[in-house]
């Protein structure tokens, strides 16, 4: 379904933040906010919940740890027991380095892949770009024309001192 | 009430009064312009070295490692020396990115991207040596544990060499992920500036990055956890490399000091290589405003510290060898100093222990030519260290009849030169396709460390530059003040004197009115309302009840429904008593000034 996005660009993160507060006072529903760098405090302003990525990272790490520990234990005691250096078959202290490395590896790879998947990103993915200067120096507030009428949005942008405004239809082919 | 000027505590990290757009222009320029002649020349030389390396490696694979001068006694020579040397160099990137991120050292932003790239390329060079050292490279996949038809025969998980496989492949993977995730927003910046074919390429590689608030939030969360993971990882890698030696039974190798000593040495050589490359890059790519003399001084301090740790480790080894009373250990070190490879021992001592001591002096730390020279000396010295450990120990083992001498063949030298070529070629390609300085991260810290913002920054958070992590504070301060954070200027002069002794003398403003905006939840509008009602000082506010303040707000013009005064008297009481540190702590604990 095509969506009509009305957006305004601000010149600084301070202007952006006061505009967001103003939009919330006027009960205008913001579709999304785009910035050239991570602006701290936006998540609290926009009511974004804390990211749960780190929980995923913990789970992946735990899986990696178990794979390494159980895998090496099974190989050295069940599948092909060999005595190395006169030590017991199941010599757990010697497993520690590999268990650690696998924990880190699974956690890092899993989290990164999860990050790109849940954010809808990946090699060659094309997401709609509202304005080329958003990745440069402009701070963008976007309204969906379904939620906020075009005239309301434009009036809002004018009142809050947006530097530039525009309209973009996205997702035509869906 | 004049503007308060507080002595600067930290130097500014971005000079030249940049704005966001200027940063984009400056940092994209090296990628977007035609390659300068110096780049073409450097690329030609490194590509030639690489070609020679490919030739000597092919020679090795074709004829076998009999083309090397290794023998029955000295079975590790230049190959493993180079392996450990490159792995060591590959430690600075993650140290700068991860450990300095966790320690909130903001100067890392200027150099982290290049250092991470350098890490990845150095690890690639390092990984090459064990592979070709195995002899039959076509069987290299035997090192991976997978169910196979050879038994199945599994690798020996109790062997440090196997731990190396896991440590280095994990380190490489995590470094690539960390580096690339940081790169994605900057590739998007390049994408939005590029045209034609280049735009298509950057579209593919920027993964469809838009800069949405939620994506940034996740991106920061991911970066932080990856940094947290990479920190123990980087320490584990060189620890495990040192186990290759420490778990053996050779005198001179079988020591528990090896892990910390190797890690310190790795950081030492890694920073030296970062300096070598960045001093050239900053000059050629004109990045002097982003990699300032203060960055260089900070790195030189780390070199001084780690170099001295390495020196202490060398001396400890010598002392313990003597003190152990173990004749073979004593001989191993006697042989290192006076044996056939004495020159490498003195080279190591001179380059690694003596030379960094110059950095006790500020004049040397801030001298670019001297730093560049010393960074190369240190790289050479660290190569000698690995040569001393490996070759001089193996040359004189327990049994004098097996004693031997080793010097490399042209093939071994060629492979080493080839890895230098590989490293430089990859780095030169990197500076042409991606920004060497992290654009988004520089923009993020601009208002905390930019030269034009410095004096304002010093007002309130003058004793710590960790300001960017105070997210919730920023929101409310910024929304009320109209400019970014740290704006508790003017009338809080008494606060400055109490929290920073350096400020005494700079400030002497007695006030009748307090800056009520320092209370979390009060902005300029509410301050005006309160002052209009005659409440001008913290003491007055502290004496009020929240209900009374609420009544004032309700009566006043404007919508203050979002501002709940339940804690304002409590905060004002702290402020009135001048307990600024406690107030700041209180405000960090209580989001938005609520209970």
């Amino acid at each position: 379904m095509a969506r009509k996005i009305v957006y305004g660009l601000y010149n600084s993160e301070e202007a952006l933040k006061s505009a967001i507060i103003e939009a919330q006072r006027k009960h205008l529903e913001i579709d999304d906010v785009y910035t050239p760098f991570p602006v701290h405090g936006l998540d609290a302003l926009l009511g974004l919940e804390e990211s749960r990525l780190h929980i995923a990272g913990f789970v992946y790490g735990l899986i990696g740890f178990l794979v390494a520990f159980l895998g090496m234990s099974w190989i050295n005691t069940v599948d092909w027991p060999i005595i190395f250096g006169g030590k017991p078959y199941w010599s757990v202290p010697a497993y520690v380095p590999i268990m650690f490395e696998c924990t880190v590896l699974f956690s890092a790879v899993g989290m990164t892949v999860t990050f790109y998947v849940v954010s809808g990103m990946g090699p060659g993915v094309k997401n709609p770009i509202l304005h080329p200067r958003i990745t440069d120096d402009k701070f963008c507030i976007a309204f969906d024309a379904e939620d906020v009428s075009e005239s309301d949005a434009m009036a809002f942008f004018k009142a809050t001192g947006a530097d530039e405004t525009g309209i973009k239809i996205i997702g035509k082919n869906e | 009430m004049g503007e308060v000027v507080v002595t600067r505590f930290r130097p500014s990290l971005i000079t030249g009064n940049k704005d966001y757009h200027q940063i984009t222009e400056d940092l994209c320029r090296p990628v977007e312009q035609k390659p300068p002649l110096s780049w073409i020349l450097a690329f030609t030389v490194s590509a030639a070295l690489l070609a020679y390396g490919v030739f000597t490696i092919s020679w090795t694979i074709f004829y076998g490692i009999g083309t090397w001068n290794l023998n029955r006694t000295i079975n590790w020579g230049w190959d493993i020396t180079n392996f450990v040397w490159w792995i060591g160099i590959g430690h600075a990137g993650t140290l700068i990115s991860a450990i300095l991120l966790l320690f909130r050292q903001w100067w890392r932003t200027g150099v982290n991207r290049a250092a991470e790239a350098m890490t990845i390329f150095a690890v690639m060079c390092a990984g090459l040596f064990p592979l070709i050292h195995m002899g039959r490279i076509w069987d290299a996949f035997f090192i991976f544990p997978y169910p196979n038809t050879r038994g199945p025969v599994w690798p020996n998980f109790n062997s440090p060499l196997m731990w190396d496989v896991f440590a280095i492949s994990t380190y490489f993977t995590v470094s690539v992920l960390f580096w690339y995730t940081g790169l994605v927003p900057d590739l998007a910046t390049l994408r939005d500036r590029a045209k034609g074919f280049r735009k298509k390429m950057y579209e593919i590689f920027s993964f469809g990055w838009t800069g949405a608030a939620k994506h940034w939030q996740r991106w920061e969360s991911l970066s932080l956890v990856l940094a947290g993971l990479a920190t123990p990882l980087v320490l584990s890698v060189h620890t495990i490399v040192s186990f290759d030696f420490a778990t053996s039974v050779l005198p001179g190798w079988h020591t528990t000091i090896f892990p910390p000593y190797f890690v310190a040495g790795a950081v030492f050589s890694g920073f030296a290589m970062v300096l070598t490359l960045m001093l050239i890059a900053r000059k050629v790519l004109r990045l002097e405003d982003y990699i300032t003399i203060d960055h260089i001084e900070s790195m030189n301090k780390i070199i001084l510290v780690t170099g001295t740790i390495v020196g202490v480790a060398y001396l400890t080894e010598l002392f313990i060898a003597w003190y152990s009373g173990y004749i073979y250990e004593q001989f191993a070190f006697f042989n290192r100093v006076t044996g056939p490879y004495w020159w490498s021992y003195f080279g190591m001592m001179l380059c690694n222990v003596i030379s960094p001591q110059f950095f006790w002096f500020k004049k040397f730390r801030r001298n670019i030519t001297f730093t560049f020279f010393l960074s190369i000396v240190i790289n050479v010295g660290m190569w000698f260290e690995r040569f001393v450990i490996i070759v001089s120990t193996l040359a004189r083992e327990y049994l004098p009849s097996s004693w031997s001498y080793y010097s490399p063949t042209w093939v071994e030298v060629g492979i080493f030169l080839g890895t230098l070529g590989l490293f430089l070629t990859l780095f030169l390609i990197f500076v042409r396709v991606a920004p060497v300085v992290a654009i988004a991260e520089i923009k993020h810290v601009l208002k905390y460390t930019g030269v034009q913002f410095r004096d304002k920054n010093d007002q309130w958070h003058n004793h710590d530059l960790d300001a960017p992590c105070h997210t919730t504070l920023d929101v409310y301060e910024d929304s009320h003040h109209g400019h970014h954070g740290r704006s508790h200027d003017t009338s809080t002069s008494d606060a400055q004197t109490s929290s920073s002794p350096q400020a005494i003398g700079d400030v002497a403003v007695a006030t009748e009115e307090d800056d009520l905006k320092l209370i979390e939840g009060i902005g300029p509008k509410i301050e005006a309302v309160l002052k209009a009602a005659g409440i001008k000082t913290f003491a007055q506010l502290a004496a009020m009840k929240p209900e009374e303040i609420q009544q004032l707000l309700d009566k006043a013009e404007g919508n203050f429904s979002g501002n709940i005064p339940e804690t304002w008297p409590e905060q004002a009481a702290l402020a009135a008593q001048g307990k600024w540190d406690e107030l700041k702590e209180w405000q960090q604990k209580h989001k938005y000034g609520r209970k």
Side-chain angles (χ1 to χ4, degrees):
Chain A
M1 205 187 79
R3 297 203 304 149
K4 189 173 174 190
I5 300 290
V6 189
Y7 65 89
L9 301 177
Y10 296 85
N11 280 328
S12 69
E13 65 267 42
E14 293 83 18
L16 173 82
K17 283 179 182 176
S18 32
I20 292 172
I21 292 170
E22 187 59 28
Q24 284 167 344
R25 289 217 171 117
K26 290 189 173 155
H27 302 290
L28 301 175
E29 195 190 322
I30 293 173
D31 183 57
D32 212 338
V33 171
Y34 302 91
T35 57
F37 59 87
V39 176
H40 280 196
L42 272 193
D43 36 5
L45 268 185
L46 295 170
L48 298 178
E49 279 175 35
E50 197 189 344
S51 168
R52 286 166 297 172
L53 255 185
H54 52 274
I55 301 171
F58 176 79
V59 174
Y60 292 125
L62 193 64
I63 294 171
F65 173 82
L66 289 176
V67 165
F69 177 61
L70 299 176
M72 285 187 288
S73 299
W74 174 76
I75 288 166
N76 283 356
T77 58
V78 180
D79 189 54
W80 198 281
I82 294 181
I83 294 176
F84 294 112
K87 303 290 195 306
Y89 291 135
W90 197 52
S91 44
V92 180
Y95 300 163
V96 169
I98 292 181
M99 291 192 300
F100 170 76
E101 301 298 335
C102 286
T103 309
V104 171
L105 182 69
F106 276 58
S107 177
V109 174
M111 263 182 86
T112 311
V113 172
T114 309
F115 165 69
Y116 287 119
V117 171
V118 296
S119 304
M121 289 191 277
V125 170
K126 274 192 192 176
N127 285 323
I129 309 295
L130 294 180
H131 194 282
R133 293 275 297 250
I134 291 171
T135 53
D136 182 354
D137 61 344
K138 299 292 181 190
F139 300 79
C140 172
I141 295 182
F143 294 110
D144 190 328
E146 294 264 299
D147 305 322
V148 178
S149 77
E150 199 184 313
S151 53
D152 280 0
M154 288 302 180
F156 166 80
F157 288 138
K158 196 168 180 195
T160 50
D163 184 52
E164 196 182 328
T165 56
I167 297 169
K168 192 147 186 164
I169 311 285
I170 60 171
K172 260 180 227 165
N173 304 322
E174 282 168 317
Chain B
M1 290 183 287
E3 185 79 4
V4 181
V5 179
V6 179
T7 317
R8 63 178 86 132
F9 281 72
R10 297 274 173 92
S12 175
L13 298 175
I14 305 164
T15 54
N17 291 318
K18 305 292 179 189
D19 62 15
Y20 294 136
H21 183 64
Q22 190 59 41
I23 292 175
T24 314
E25 290 290 335
D26 285 353
L27 299 181
C28 289
R29 186 183 1 91
V31 181
E32 290 167 346
Q33 71 187 7
K34 284 213 165 67
L37 187 66
S38 52
W39 185 90
I40 297 173
L41 281 175
F43 189 80
T44 315
V45 172
S46 26
L49 277 177
L50 173 60
Y52 188 58
V54 171
F55 170 69
T56 45
I57 289 170
S58 314
W59 191 274
T60 300
I61 292 170
F62 192 80
Y63 290 105
I65 48 174
T67 53
W68 299 356
N69 250 353
L70 297 177
N71 52 49
R72 183 65 195 87
T73 307
I74 304 170
N75 45 19
W76 282 358
W78 270 45
D79 50 352
I80 303 299
T81 302
N82 296 336
F83 159 69
V84 182
W85 187 69
W86 277 120
I87 273 285
I89 288 169
H91 273 55
T94 310
L95 188 101
I96 290 176
S97 309
I99 300 184
L100 298 185
L101 176 71
L102 297 183
F103 282 129
R104 308 270 177 219
Q105 293 293 312
W106 296 111
W107 61 268
R108 66 179 272 288
T109 13
V111 289
N112 64 343
R113 168 70 47 74
E116 284 166 37
M118 199 198 77
T119 286
I120 292 164
F121 306 147
V123 174
M124 286 163 84
C125 293
L128 181 74
F129 286 101
L131 274 184
I132 53 174
H133 174 82
M134 286 179 201
R136 296 176 189 173
I137 197 169
W138 49 92
D139 285 339
F141 61 91
F142 280 23
I143 58 175
F144 292 109
Y146 64 98
N148 54 61
T149 52
R150 307 188 297 275
V153 173
W154 298 97
N156 178 5
F157 297 113
N158 300 23
S159 160
L161 298 178
M162 194 62 212
W163 303 344
D164 252 359
V165 172
F166 277 88
I168 290 166
S169 48
T170 301
Y171 185 54
F172 181 71
T173 313
V174 174
S175 299
V176 169
L177 294 176
F178 195 30
W179 174 71
Y180 201 81
T181 300
L183 202 51
V184 163
D186 291 354
L187 293 177
T189 303
L190 285 169
R191 171 198 66 198
D192 293 342
R193 293 164 58 88
K195 288 190 179 70
F197 175 72
R198 291 183 71 243
K199 192 180 187 75
K200 286 221 166 58
M201 294 310 288
Y202 284 119
E203 267 173 359
I204 294 171
F205 288 109
S206 62
F207 286 16
W209 177 265
T210 57
K214 186 69 191 173
H215 294 175
W216 276 121
Q217 187 205 32
R218 290 193 187 120
W219 181 89
E220 287 212 287
S221 170
L222 178 67
S223 305
L224 196 61
V225 179
L226 284 183
L229 288 170
T231 301
L233 178 65
V234 66
L235 301 181
S236 85
V237 173
H238 228 57
T239 299
I240 291 177
V241 169
S242 80
F243 285 167
D244 293 347
F245 304 95
T247 58
S248 74
V249 290
L250 277 188
W253 286 9
H254 189 62
T255 57
T256 46
I257 201 178
F258 260 27
Y261 153 26
F262 268 51
V263 170
V267 173
F268 180 54
S269 66
F271 269 90
M273 191 56 106
V274 171
L275 278 172
T276 311
L277 286 184
M278 292 319 284
L279 287 177
I280 301 173
R282 99 190 254 279
K283 186 86 190 156
V284 175
L285 307 177
R286 283 180 284 146
L287 298 172
E288 284 95 341
D289 285 333
Y290 302 94
I291 303 164
T292 64
I293 192 81
D294 295 305
H295 287 87
I296 295 165
E297 192 183 0
S298 297
M299 288 194 268
N300 283 340
K301 284 178 184 167
I302 292 188
I303 285 194
L304 174 62
V305 170
T306 49
T308 308
I309 294 175
V310 168
V312 169
Y314 294 163
L315 299 179
T316 309
E317 272 189 326
L318 280 181
F319 171 76
I320 293 296
W322 166 76
Y323 187 67
S324 68
Y326 179 52
I327 179 173
Y328 295 101
E329 189 79 13
Q330 287 171 344
F331 174 75
F333 282 89
F334 181 73
N335 173 57
R336 271 189 197 179
V337 185
T338 63
Y341 294 105
W342 63 271
W343 43 269
S344 62
Y345 191 81
F346 284 98
M348 162 184 112
M349 278 295 190
L350 190 69
C351 299
N352 293 350
V353 186
I354 316 269
S355 74
Q357 304 307 321
F358 283 104
F359 284 154
W360 285 106
F361 304 100
K362 200 178 178 101
K363 211 172 85 187
F364 290 115
R365 286 201 302 269
R366 297 179 77 88
N367 183 322
I368 292 178
T369 322
F370 182 76
T371 302
F372 183 73
F373 169 72
L374 209 61
S375 72
I376 291 175
V377 168
I378 291 166
N379 280 318
V380 174
M382 285 310 288
W383 191 90
F384 273 133
E385 179 201 295
R386 279 64 183 252
F387 186 82
V388 166
I389 292 173
I390 293 168
V391 176
S392 73
T393 303
L394 288 172
R396 294 281 181 275
E397 273 193 43
Y398 292 104
L399 198 61
S401 64
S402 324
W403 287 3
S404 178
Y405 191 83
Y406 157 85
S407 49
T409 60
W410 64 274
V411 181
E412 288 170 279
V413 177
I415 294 172
F416 177 57
L417 294 178
T419 52
L420 285 177
L422 173 66
F423 180 73
L424 292 174
T425 308
L426 289 170
F427 194 81
L428 286 166
I429 293 174
F430 163 69
V431 302
R432 293 289 310 151
V433 297
V436 239
V437 176
I439 301 176
E441 288 180 49
I442 286 284
K443 287 176 189 162
H444 182 200
V445 299
L446 175 69
K447 291 200 175 167
Y448 301 100
T449 68
V451 68
Q452 71 272 40
F453 298 96
R454 179 180 52 212
D455 290 340
K456 278 185 199 128
N457 298 346
D458 283 344
Q459 304 292 316
W460 173 258
H461 289 284
N462 47 15
H463 45 289
D464 60 348
L465 270 181
D466 61 349
C469 63
H470 297 161
T471 53
T472 50
L473 280 174
D474 288 350
V475 181
Y476 274 72
E477 285 169 8
D478 295 348
S479 60
H480 294 310
H481 290 271
H483 74 262
H484 199 65
R486 320 297 84 77
S487 49
H488 312 279
D489 39 9
T490 61
S491 56
T492 58
S493 48
D494 46 348
Q496 304 305 327
T497 44
S498 64
S499 64
S500 61
Q502 280 83 344
I504 298 172
D506 287 338
V507 286
V509 189
T511 53
E512 291 166 6
E513 291 190 7
D514 284 321
D515 183 3
L516 300 179
K517 297 192 291 289
L518 287 178
I519 306 296
E520 194 71 38
I522 298 186
K525 283 185 187 160
I526 294 180
E527 185 184 42
V529 169
L530 292 173
K531 289 199 171 162
I535 300 150
K536 292 182 177 171
T537 63
F538 290 128
Q540 284 174 303
L541 187 60
M544 290 182 78
K545 283 184 181 152
E547 296 82 1
E548 292 168 5
I549 306 175
Q550 189 65 55
Q551 281 173 2
L552 271 177
L553 292 180
D554 291 344
K555 271 188 251 163
E557 273 186 35
N559 177 6
F560 297 116
S561 57
N563 305 70
I564 295 158
E566 56 182 350
T567 67
W568 296 355
E570 194 182 333
Q571 295 185 56
L574 288 175
Q577 293 162 37
K579 296 180 176 169
W580 300 105
D581 287 338
E582 281 173 43
L583 177 61
K584 201 182 138 199
E585 216 179 288
W586 188 97
Q587 290 178 346
Q588 279 172 5
K589 270 190 211 148
H590 299 75
K591 284 190 174 180
Y592 318 141
R594 298 291 303 274
K595 270 182 180 164

